[in-house]
Amino acid sequence: MSATYFAQVVDGIVTKVAVTSAEFMAENPERYEGEWIETFIGVEGKTYAGIGYTWNGTDFVAPIVEEQ
């Protein structure tokens, strides 16, 4: 079985990323409160979520870092 990744999203921003399964999350709701969205590594057209990324309803968007 391959790893499955989920990102916790609070007010549109990723706050945590976990390696788990949807089944385990459903069986342990006290550990996975709030909104969790599956994220993918190495899937064309999908962005792997990181803490601070934004969820736009379709995909994760990396934060913009301004150069100084």
Side-chain angles (χ1 to χ4, degrees):
M1 184 168 122
S2 63
T4 307
Y5 304 89
F6 288 87
Q8 182 182 45
V9 177
V10 177
D11 296 327
I13 305 295
V14 175
T15 58
K16 295 180 186 174
V17 178
V19 181
T20 187
S21 68
E23 294 81 13
F24 186 81
M25 291 173 68
E27 293 167 357
N28 297 278
E30 71 284 352
R31 292 180 68 177
Y32 299 97
E33 295 179 352
E35 182 178 19
W36 288 82
I37 300 168
E38 189 171 5
T39 185
F40 303 90
I41 292 177
V43 175
E44 189 173 334
K46 295 289 183 181
T47 303
Y48 179 72
I51 294 174
Y53 279 48
T54 302
W55 171 248
N56 67 14
T58 305
D59 198 11
F60 294 96
V61 179
I64 297 172
V65 178
E66 295 186 24
E67 294 183 35
Q68 296 185 10

